[in-house]
Amino acid sequence: MAPKKMKVENVEEENPQDMTEDVQTIPKPNISRIKNKILRNEMYKKLRVEKRKAKMKEKKRKRKEAESMGEEAPPKQVPKTIESMRVKDETMVTAEDTEVMMDEAQDELASYFSRETLPKILITTCDRPCLRTNKFCKELKLVIPNSDIKYRRGLDLKKIIPQAKERDFTDIIVVNEDRKEPNGLVVTHLPDGPTLHFKLSSVRLTTEIKRVGEMSKHKPELILNNFNTRLGHSVGRVFASLFPHDPQFQGRRVVTFHNQRDFIFFRHHRYVFRNNKRVGLKELGPRFTLKLRSLQKGTFDSKYGEYEWVHKRKEMETSRRKFTL
């Protein structure tokens, strides 16, 4: 018998491009499916390192490409942040604004900026302060030159103000607390005000900061960042009046008040020159954050005081891009 003829079907050849497309669509392994916690953490660390290396490699590639293009390189893109997308405030002023300069030449702080008075600060607390509040006041005394700590002993702040005037104090700083944690700061400029009330948060004492440096007794330099509105000018001038005019640069101490989105971040550093181009920073502490609650004309008077500005929560927080300082 003759063998049967087998039907041979034409098999289409697979396209290599289709194969590459199938490979590209295969999803990456999901780390969350790994049940072992130790292995899952190790895989997560490896992925983070790989992602960081890929990001750095892409940055180097873009930098080399821009250098090779020279003047034809596209302009640098500005990242969109809450600060850069801020709605322009009508009260924003410049350093050369004549109206602001005339007002500041006649305000309550003019005697300090004309060098007629020297700052002398009285630091006090609420009644029966806890140990943490007392430590915070002692560290403020080390940061602010020519300052003294006096305990309240049940006295009202209205009774302390006349006594402070008689002893030639120029400012009073009151540290308030709640649940054994510092939560408020009142700064009153003497003899005619103004008075600022701040919410105090994120307090870190010197002992709670890692690799903290040693503090010297030199007069520090002062940096005020982003106090650009009329209200910001008033707040910045009060902070400036707490420190002496002529800093001692050989101490290399810097006190910074950085305003960002109406939060004022306080930092205290000592800088070290590495070489002609690089500078290193060593944090000295303490570290805390302030949020302005009210600005009152004159000295502290909670009952009959005239408030120039008060934080209104529902009106001030309707948009994240609207700031007041």
Side-chain angles (χ1 to χ4, degrees):
M1 294 179 66
K4 293 182 179 180
K5 294 182 179 180
M6 300 292 293
K7 293 182 179 180
V8 180
E9 296 180 355
N10 293 329
V11 180
E12 296 181 358
E13 296 182 357
E14 293 181 350
N15 192 354
Q17 293 182 356
D18 298 338
M19 293 290 291
T20 55
E21 289 178 359
D22 293 339
V23 172
Q24 290 177 358
T25 55
I26 297 175
K28 293 183 179 179
N30 192 357
I31 301 176
S32 60
R33 294 181 180 178
I34 302 175
K35 295 182 179 180
N36 191 314
K37 184 179 179 180
I38 298 174
L39 295 177
R40 188 169 63 246
N41 288 337
E42 290 178 357
M43 286 293 296
Y44 176 70
K45 289 178 182 178
K46 287 180 181 179
L47 286 177
R48 283 190 64 184
V49 171
E50 291 175 2
K51 189 176 180 181
R52 193 184 302 115
K53 287 182 178 178
K55 191 176 181 181
M56 294 297 294
K57 189 176 181 181
E58 183 66 17
K59 279 186 178 180
K60 288 181 180 178
R61 186 190 66 79
K62 288 182 179 180
R63 193 186 302 117
K64 288 181 179 179
E65 186 178 346
E67 289 176 356
S68 61
M69 293 177 68
E71 297 180 355
E72 299 178 358
K76 254 187 176 181
Q77 295 182 355
V78 180
K80 290 185 178 180
T81 60
I82 297 178
E83 191 71 30
S84 63
M85 296 173 67
R86 173 179 181 174
V87 177
K88 189 175 181 181
D89 196 343
E90 296 178 356
T91 61
M92 296 283 285
V93 294
T94 60
E96 301 175 355
D97 195 326
T98 56
E99 183 180 353
V100 176
M101 293 174 64
M102 290 177 64
D103 291 342
E104 292 178 351
Q106 301 173 359
D107 64 0
E108 301 88 347
L109 301 167
S111 59
Y112 165 80
F113 287 95
S114 60
R115 295 178 178 264
E116 296 177 5
T117 59
L118 295 176
K120 185 179 179 182
I121 316 301
L122 172 64
I123 301 174
T124 186
T125 62
C126 57
D127 294 332
R128 298 179 181 179
C130 67
L131 180 62
R132 184 173 174 80
T133 304
N134 287 333
K135 287 182 179 179
F136 179 67
C137 292
K138 289 178 181 178
E139 293 190 3
L140 278 182
K141 183 182 184 301
L142 295 176
V143 173
I144 304 174
N146 199 18
S147 58
D148 293 325
I149 300 176
K150 303 291 182 183
Y151 295 102
R152 290 281 288 273
R153 297 178 182 176
L155 288 175
D156 293 336
L157 188 56
K158 290 183 181 179
K159 295 181 180 179
I160 296 176
I161 290 174
Q163 298 178 13
K165 290 180 182 178
E166 292 176 0
R167 299 182 183 182
D168 296 330
F169 283 101
T170 59
D171 294 90
I172 299 177
I173 298 177
V174 184
V175 181
N176 296 321
E177 69 174 31
D178 183 30
R179 299 178 183 180
K180 297 184 180 181
E181 184 73 23
N183 73 328
L185 199 73
V186 178
V187 182
T188 300
H189 185 73
L190 302 178
D192 301 320
T195 300
L196 304 178
H197 179 213
F198 297 96
K199 177 185 175 183
L200 180 63
S201 61
S202 304
V203 177
R204 293 291 179 271
L205 301 177
T206 303
T207 54
E208 300 170 353
I209 300 175
K210 295 181 180 179
R211 297 181 292 274
V212 69
E214 294 182 3
M215 192 183 307
S216 64
K217 294 183 179 180
H218 295 88
K219 296 178 183 178
E221 305 171 47
L222 182 64
I223 298 176
L224 300 171
N225 285 336
N226 298 336
F227 294 91
N228 300 324
T229 62
R230 291 296 297 266
L231 178 62
H233 266 250
S234 302
V235 175
R237 284 169 66 83
V238 172
F239 286 144
S241 65
L242 300 176
F243 295 86
H245 291 281
D246 302 315
Q248 296 173 335
F249 295 100
Q250 61 269 25
R252 304 191 308 278
R253 282 178 58 194
V254 179
V255 172
T256 305
F257 290 92
H258 176 74
N259 174 43
Q260 188 170 355
R261 288 178 283 171
D262 290 347
F263 287 94
I264 302 171
F265 300 94
F266 175 88
R267 296 293 184 270
H268 183 204
H269 292 93
R270 186 180 73 245
Y271 57 88
V272 181
F273 293 103
R274 305 292 186 193
N275 49 41
N276 294 334
K277 295 182 179 180
R278 297 185 61 189
V279 177
L281 290 177
K282 193 77 171 179
E283 189 168 2
L284 304 179
R287 179 197 305 174
F288 55 88
T289 305
L290 299 173
K291 175 84 171 179
L292 183 64
R293 290 302 180 193
S294 64
L295 172 62
Q296 182 183 350
K297 290 184 177 180
T299 56
F300 179 81
D301 191 349
S302 59
K303 190 173 183 180
Y304 301 105
E306 181 183 354
Y307 287 89
E308 186 176 343
W309 183 87
V310 178
H311 179 268
K312 298 178 182 178
R313 184 174 180 180
K314 292 183 180 179
E315 294 182 11
M316 302 299 176
E317 297 178 0
T318 53
S319 174
R320 291 185 178 181
R321 293 183 294 170
K322 294 180 180 178
F323 312 115
T324 54
L325 293 181

